[in-house]
Amino acid sequence: RQLCFPSMLDLNYIREQADRVRQAMREKGTGDPATLQRILDLDASRRRALTELQEAQTRSNSISKEIGTLMKQGKREEAQAIIAETGRLKALIKELDDDAKTIEGRLNGLLLDIPNIPHPSVPVGYTPEDNQVVLKHGDKPTFDFAPKPHWERLEAGGRGDFERGAKVTGAGFPFYLGKI
């Protein structure tokens, strides 16, 4: 079973570095720390469910081989008793598989709330004023007019539409119009 998680962080990393992830969430001021614990709990439940599922599938495969052997030996009554057990195992396998899928769906939804881990050199901050200048190159230009931001120039020139772009993407991406 191949799992694809929508988070940028690998679930193994989250499991093994839960304290670091929790710290990053605090430092970034994003996400609910209780979400991390729910993720860890769901991950443990998912792994238990998958283990039980694999054990049931292994038992079912073993029993199927046993049935074939008993039938070849002419032991039909014993084979019929085991066949009844395979029906019970099939129902259990379906139930365990459904449980694992349900848990996995809930887990994937919660993983979207886990932020990426910033590099240790990144200062903790919550507003643009908390940012630190790392490098300056050249002289800052001066103008004899009030410069406009690029988005105003795009829209004023009929070359971009941020409002429609944001409606489609749900973020601040523009539609670019014409040749730019």
Side-chain angles (χ1 to χ4, degrees), residues 19-180:
D19 289 338
R20 176 67 186 110
V21 174
R22 193 174 290 108
Q23 176 187 349
M25 291 173 77
R26 270 194 310 271
E27 289 174 355
K28 291 181 96 171
T30 58
D32 178 6
T35 299
L36 180 60
Q37 190 55 53
R38 285 194 296 274
I39 287 171
L40 295 172
D41 293 344
L42 281 172
D43 177 49
S45 295
R46 180 186 61 86
R47 288 186 293 142
R48 274 192 304 275
L50 290 176
T51 299
E52 288 178 36
L53 174 62
Q54 289 169 349
E55 288 171 356
Q57 288 170 332
T58 300
R59 177 73 179 131
S60 178
N61 291 340
S62 173
I63 287 175
S64 294
K65 289 177 186 175
E66 210 175 308
I67 292 170
T69 303
L70 289 172
M71 292 296 250
K72 286 179 187 176
Q73 294 173 350
K75 300 178 180 179
R76 292 194 181 282
E77 286 182 20
E78 290 178 40
Q80 290 301 325
I82 294 175
I83 289 172
E85 187 178 345
T86 61
R88 187 182 55 75
L89 271 174
K90 284 182 183 179
L92 176 63
I93 288 170
K94 174 155 180 23
E95 180 183 327
L96 290 171
D97 189 48
D98 290 346
D99 288 349
K101 286 178 182 174
T102 299
I103 292 169
E104 191 174 308
R106 290 175 51 206
L107 182 59
N108 285 342
L110 289 175
L111 283 168
L112 292 172
D113 292 337
I114 301 296
N116 286 330
I117 306 297
H119 188 271
S121 67
V122 175
V124 175
Y126 303 102
T127 66
E129 290 74 32
D130 296 328
N131 292 337
Q132 295 177 357
V133 176
V134 176
L135 175 71
K136 286 186 179 184
H137 180 75
D139 296 324
K140 187 174 180 178
T142 58
F143 301 100
D144 58 355
F145 59 90
K148 294 182 180 180
H150 71 279
W151 55 88
E152 285 181 18
R153 294 192 51 158
L154 274 172
E155 287 187 314
R159 298 293 183 199
D161 188 337
F162 278 84
E163 188 176 323
R164 283 193 306 160
K167 284 181 184 176
V168 171
T169 65
F173 296 104
F175 280 151
Y176 291 107
L177 309 170
K179 292 182 180 180
I180 298 180

